[in-house]
Amino acid sequence: MSSEEFFQVRPVFTHEEYAQSRGNTSPRTVDSLLRNHVASGRVARVRRGLYVAPPTGASAETVDPFLVATKAAPDAAVSHHAALQFHGRVYSVWSQVTFLTTHATRGFRFGPVEYVPVRPPQPVAHRPDMGGGIECVPSGGGEVRVCSCERAMVDVLHSPTLGGGWEEIFRSLAMVEFLDLDAVITFTLALGSAATTARVGYFLSLHRERLFVREADLARLAAHAPRQARYLDASRDPGQLVHPWNLIVPEWVIDARWEEVA
């Protein structure tokens, strides 16, 4: 395979992948070839060991940012708000892409996009696929590793700051038309967080008819809800105590007051 053939099938690639495509070529020659392609403008360096090869005549910044995130670490998977954005289920489009990884890596910026690594929750970090719910989806001429809507939903409820706050989360999740509820509940319980379980249960109870949520589904979650009242998040905003979740939810969230100014 020639370099050009490689670039056509790998719009985002690592140094290691390019070296493998060169067969027995010496490391020094591989480095020289890459430098020449960068100098010619055919390839752009994202950061050390990571490159993009846009279609001829196109800007490097037009390469699918979700592909870039996928190649940012060996186990990287687009996550949280970015995963919902990939699936077309966000209220606000961001220029930030978060990705799960167990590897120590730094965030970086390429073009207008900021790439932010996120460690998976400790209870699932060492499980296969960091707890599961990770899909490989063709996109932008490559294949994106991305959290499913089910996993992304639970992740943003577990870490609301990575979902953009409650208004953004509830508006975005309202765009999800279908969920594998067993996958949602199984992953939620694997996190071992009573607060997250309550948040997921509360959201599902609000959308039980639209998402075909059964009483048995809610009961599975309610059995693991907090035994004592918990605030919706660390801000401890006052509100109503919602049963059976033992969750204190602010009035503006209960009333979805953002809809008044939509």
Side-chain angles (χ1 to χ4, degrees):
M1 178 185 292
S2 69
S3 289
E4 185 56 37
E5 289 171 332
F6 175 84
F7 298 150
Q8 289 177 3
V9 298
R10 295 289 183 95
V12 183
F13 61 93
T14 64
H15 183 283
E16 181 181 4
E17 289 171 335
Y18 182 72
Q20 290 175 348
S21 76
R22 297 296 81 212
N24 295 323
T25 304
S26 71
R28 180 174 295 181
T29 300
V30 168
D31 290 344
S32 178
L33 287 170
L34 276 175
R35 282 195 299 271
N36 290 339
H37 288 304
V38 170
S40 72
R42 181 64 185 92
V43 168
R45 182 178 182 272
V46 177
R47 65 172 181 174
R48 182 177 182 181
L50 183 60
Y51 301 84
V52 296
T56 303
S59 166
E61 296 177 5
T62 64
V63 172
D64 189 336
F66 302 110
L67 279 179
V68 174
T70 295
K71 295 292 186 178
D75 60 350
V78 177
S79 67
H80 296 82
H81 186 277
L84 292 173
Q85 184 166 312
F86 177 85
H87 294 297
R89 300 296 182 269
V90 288
Y91 178 70
S92 304
V93 175
W94 290 2
S95 59
Q96 180 190 84
V97 177
T98 50
F99 58 93
L100 290 174
T101 179
T102 59
H103 291 254
T105 186
R106 293 181 178 180
F108 59 96
R109 178 176 287 276
F110 182 67
V113 181
E114 181 182 8
Y115 297 88
V116 181
V118 178
R119 289 297 183 100
Q122 189 59 39
V124 298
H126 300 294
R127 295 189 182 190
D129 269 346
M130 297 174 282
I134 294 176
E135 309 168 334
C136 292
V137 183
S139 179
E143 193 170 66
V144 171
R145 267 175 54 87
V146 58
C147 292
S148 65
C149 278
E150 288 82 0
R151 165 108 193 219
M153 168 196 161
V154 178
D155 279 339
V156 296
L157 290 172
H158 183 67
S159 301
T161 57
L162 295 175
W166 296 115
E167 178 179 350
E168 178 69 19
I169 289 171
F170 278 91
R171 281 179 177 267
S172 297
L173 294 182
M175 299 180 184
V176 177
E177 301 98 344
F178 172 81
L179 287 171
D180 180 337
L181 293 171
D182 185 62
V184 168
I185 295 168
T186 298
F187 182 67
T188 299
L189 298 181
L191 293 177
S193 167
T196 298
T197 299
R199 292 168 185 165
V200 172
Y202 174 67
F203 174 79
L204 292 179
S205 68
L206 293 178
H207 297 272
R208 66 178 71 191
E209 292 185 7
R210 183 175 66 83
L211 296 174
F212 303 100
V213 182
R214 303 168 301 171
E215 287 300 324
D217 298 321
L218 297 177
R220 285 178 64 190
L221 292 167
H224 299 273
R227 297 192 177 186
Q228 296 181 336
R230 300 281 293 274
Y231 287 92
L232 182 64
D233 64 19
S235 67
R236 299 173 70 87
D237 289 342
Q240 291 185 26
L241 180 61
V242 179
H243 295 292
W245 312 112
N246 275 337
L247 200 61
I248 300 173
V249 183
E251 299 280 355
W252 66 271
V253 174
I254 291 175
D255 298 338
R257 290 180 187 165
W258 50 80
E259 295 179 357
E260 298 173 4
V261 294

